[in-house]
Amino acid sequence: MEPTGLDEQVAGLINRKLNVAIDLLNLPWFIPMKCLIKPLGENSAFRPDVVILDRTGLANEPLWKTESVITLGKSVKLVVEVVSTNWQNDYARKVEDYEALGIGEYWLADYLGLGGKRYIGLSNNLRCLRRATPTRFIS
């Protein structure tokens, strides 16, 4: 399923803000244009809306030199999913799969409140932000 135009706008804004922070902090991280996250031996993969990769971890990625595929969670600093009509995947399945890969930071940008109401209730504030483990990047 392809994202909507509004989903792309939200992902683009998040990407822009995160890139500025990466530059300001002079971190060895980057945001690829397209990247798959696929555990080794699995048939399916995820294409996150935004993913921050650690350049220093890419040397250990077995597929990176030939394909933009990440198989090791430690290469990933952050995954951001913009919640859309398939919000059940973002709130449930992807959380479990990213956690199993060892990805320590996963954010949901639920700008329409599609799934957040079920998990955090009704609110006029931030609709959903799920973080596993804080990093030095987020202070």
Side-chain angles (χ1 to χ4, degrees):
M1 170 192 242
E2 290 299 311
T4 68
L6 285 175
D7 293 349
E8 285 294 314
Q9 260 182 278
V10 171
L13 175 65
I14 293 168
N15 185 322
R16 187 176 85 208
K17 297 294 185 177
L18 290 173
N19 263 316
V20 168
I22 290 167
D23 283 346
L24 287 173
L25 296 170
N26 198 30
L27 297 169
W29 304 349
F30 73 101
I31 299 174
M33 295 297 290
K34 294 181 182 176
C35 171
L36 290 176
I37 297 178
K38 179 182 178 204
L40 282 174
E42 294 289 325
N43 291 329
S44 62
F46 294 113
R47 184 178 305 278
D49 295 310
V50 179
V51 60
I52 296 178
L53 299 179
D54 185 344
R55 281 189 186 95
T56 61
L58 295 178
N60 298 318
E61 285 290 346
L63 303 175
W64 185 252
K65 288 187 179 179
T66 58
E67 310 176 75
S68 63
V69 176
I70 297 297
T71 61
L72 306 171
K74 61 186 172 187
S75 301
V76 179
K77 291 297 179 185
L78 170 68
V79 169
V80 180
E81 294 288 357
V82 177
V83 177
S84 57
T85 54
N86 65 340
W87 62 267
Q88 295 91 341
N89 265 349
D90 296 325
Y91 276 91
R93 180 173 176 226
K94 289 180 184 179
V95 172
E96 292 170 358
D97 289 342
Y98 288 149
E99 191 173 56
L101 268 167
I103 295 171
E105 191 102 15
Y106 175 53
W107 293 357
L108 293 172
D110 191 349
Y111 68 97
L112 294 174
L114 295 171
K117 290 179 253 182
R118 178 174 177 184
Y119 289 90
I120 62 173
L122 295 173
S123 172
N124 290 331
N125 298 325
L126 180 64
R127 293 205 173 113
C128 183
L129 174 64
R130 182 172 185 152
R131 296 190 334 184
T133 314
T135 65
R136 71 178 191 150
F137 181 68
I138 309 300
S139 55

